[in-house]
């Protein structure tokens, strides 16, 4: 077999010119669904997006954004930002964390990993702490994986286990945390019957405790640290089911935002603070919302908040969360090796890139886009700008978020003539969609559309090209439905609001005054998905995509 030497240099596209400015816009959580009153894209005034859809059928289409198209275990798995932006940026489909963890647990290989052996060293004398999101959402973690890990760890020598739960209600229905807590309690009771001292030790809602991302608000991580490590929290309960039920009674408190609590014994003492000699595993496989906590557990020098105590522990992540920082050092399952991403190719092929979003999505168009790698490939060729997000609020309060600021930043970057790729994420449809506030989500969709308009106007002025797409669905369907698509009602006859992502496809539109005539979507890639976008964009930059990238969505007809 002959080998050709690897080169970062890409061949020129035979028909498309180099040097065009491309605006690459990802509308977070913006899928395509049938029109009804729970489809906020439909309800909102969205003239710009409507014009793209209704204007040029050969330059607007739908692409797949969930399930196997983005490396998830099954077609029942909704898409999410991590796998979506990984696919968009890398141009290929990688088996993702959810799937890799499934395999490692099923084969037992997880227990042979260096990471597991490292935490196992603490099992004789210390406690094993498992910290993570308690739901079957499959976006950051999965309950069945936690269950297997609990069983496997006890079979591999863990004698004392403490679980620190984060309630969800964002990737799953609000209120479902009670059921997940009951299931977990039941599993831990079974372990206790088998002589393992296993209990829930602390908890809190994922958006208020521990799972912040991109350093938006370290207070969130601190609340988790205080409850999990120090055993201190404003609420104390004897068991997790009671905790979740009682805290949900607080007005305006949902699963996502439960305040931190600790479980105490009959004398009021926390049952599971983390102390010297313990092992800690963060069992989420998804990276973004574990990086900050991983730093708190791992870094000796740390100044983001006062940890009060920094116990000598053995810490491992379910996966390694940041490939560049090698964080954490120990992990139970190797993450997908997402290399040779489109961003890295571009810097070797003379394409200057500008990437921007607000804090809550900033890492999506940088870190996720580049294969879960922080930092620049080449700072002389790239500029990443983060617009600070509002913190300490739920985004239904300010549903316009920073869409306008992001669009203006993109506009200025396009008009500056300094960049050939201007890449942004507009977060509103997703971030407001997750609150379950339908009225606010309609406002979010309108704001998104206005942002797109600003960017398209700049593209026209710069004689550039636009590629408008999304990473997965969310705001286009805000109600839980039965198999026939009919909204499901709860016992009181109210609709069940869907705070999570969806299984819907997402739109992709191309155009702009700089788009050469004759460029259109091919008809022979009907199953195209997010991973086909990278080759498409490379073509629009006048480059052929690497041979192993998923095929381009476009052709040029004479
Ligand atoms: O982390 C979150 O906010 C949700 O679990 C998933 O949303 P995202 O994948 O759009 O970030
Ligand atoms: Mn997203
Ligand atoms: Mn989301």
């Amino acid at each position: 077999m002959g080998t050709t030497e690897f080169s970062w240099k890409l061949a020129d596209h035979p028909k498309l010119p180099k040097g065009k400015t491309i605006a690459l816009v990802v509308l977070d959580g913006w899928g395509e669904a049938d029109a009804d009153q729970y489809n906020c894209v439909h309800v909102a005034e969205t003239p710009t997006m409507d014009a793209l859809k209704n204007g040029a059928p050969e330059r607007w289409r739908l692409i797949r954004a969930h399930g196997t198209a983005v490396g998830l275990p099954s077609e029942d798995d909704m898409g999410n930002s991590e796998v979506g932006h990984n696919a968009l940026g890398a141009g290929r489909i990688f088996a993702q964390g959810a799937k890799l963890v499934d395999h490692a647990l099923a084969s037992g290989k997880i227990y042979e990993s260096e990471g597991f052996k490292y935490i196992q060293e603490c099992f004789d004398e210390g406690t094993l702490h498992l910290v993570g999101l308690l739901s079957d959402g499959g976006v950051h973690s999965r309950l069945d994986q936690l269950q297997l890990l609990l069983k496997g760890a006890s079979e591999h020598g863990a004698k004392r286990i403490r679980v620190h739960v984060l309630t969800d209600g964002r990737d799953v229905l609000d209120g479902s945390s009670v059921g997940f807590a009951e299931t977990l309690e039941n599993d831990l009771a079974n372990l206790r019957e088998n002589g393992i001292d296993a209990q829930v030790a602390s908890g809190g809602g994922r958006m208020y405790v521990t799972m912040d991302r991109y350093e938006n608000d370290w207070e969130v991580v601190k609340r988790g640290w205080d409850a999990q490590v120090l055993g201190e929290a404003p609420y104390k309960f004897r068991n997790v089911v009671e905790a979740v039920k009682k805290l949900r009674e607080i007005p305006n408190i949902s699963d996502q935002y439960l305040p931190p609590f600790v479980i105490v014994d009959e004398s009021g003492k926390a049952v599971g603070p983390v102390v010297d000699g313990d092992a800690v595993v963060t069992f989420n496989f998804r990276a973004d919302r574990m990086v900050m906590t991983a730093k708190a557990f791992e870094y000796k020098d740390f100044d983001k908040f006062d940890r009060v105590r920094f116990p000598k522990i053995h810490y491992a992540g379910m996966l390694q969360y940041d490939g560049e920082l090698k964080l954490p050092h120990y992990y139970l399952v190797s993450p997908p090796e997402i290399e040779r991403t489109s961003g890295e190719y571009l810097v070797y092929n003379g394409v200057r890139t500008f990437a921007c979003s607000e804090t809550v999505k900033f890492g999506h168009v940088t870190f996720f886009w580049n294969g879960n790698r922080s930092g620049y490939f080449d700072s002389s060729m790239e500029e990443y700008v983060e617009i600070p997000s509002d913190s300490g609020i739920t985004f239904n309060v300010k549903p316009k978020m920073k869409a306008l600021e992001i669009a203006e930043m993109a506009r200025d970057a396009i008009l500056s003539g300094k960049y050939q790729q201007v890449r942004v994420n507009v977060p509103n449809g997703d971030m407001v969609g997750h609150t379950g506030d339908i009225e606010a989500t309609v406002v979010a969709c309108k704001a998104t559309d206005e942002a797109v308009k600003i960017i398209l106007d700049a593209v026209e002025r710069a004689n550039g090209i636009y590629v408008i797409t999304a990473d997965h669905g969310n705001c286009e369907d805000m109600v839980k439905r039965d198999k026939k698509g009919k909204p499901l009602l709860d016992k009181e006859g109210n609709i069940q609001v869907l705070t999570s992502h969806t299984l819907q496809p997402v739109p992709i539109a191309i155009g702009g005054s700089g788009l050469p005539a004759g460029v259109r979507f091919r008809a022979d890639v009907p199953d195209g998905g997010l991973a086909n976008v990278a080759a498409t964009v490379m073509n629009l930059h006048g480059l052929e995509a690497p041979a192993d990238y998923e095929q381009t969505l476009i052709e040029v007809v004479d």
Side-chain angles (χ1 to χ4, degrees), residues 138-149:
V139 174
H140 295 267
S141 68
R142 276 214 333 263
L143 175 65
D144 61 331
Q145 295 179 346
L146 170 64
Q147 292 174 307
L148 289 172
L149 187 60

Side-chain angles (χ1 to χ4, degrees), residues 28-29 80-81 85 361 364 425 430 471-472 501:
D28 213 292
N80 69 69
S81 289
H85 287 79
K361 297 286 181 187
H364 288 33
N425 176 301
D430 183 68
D471 61 341
H472 52 75
H501 298 170

Side-chain angles (χ1 to χ4, degrees), residues 458-471:
V459 167
E460 280 320 287
R461 283 173 63 191
N463 196 30
I465 298 172
Y466 60 77
V467 177
I468 314 288
T469 190
D471 61 341

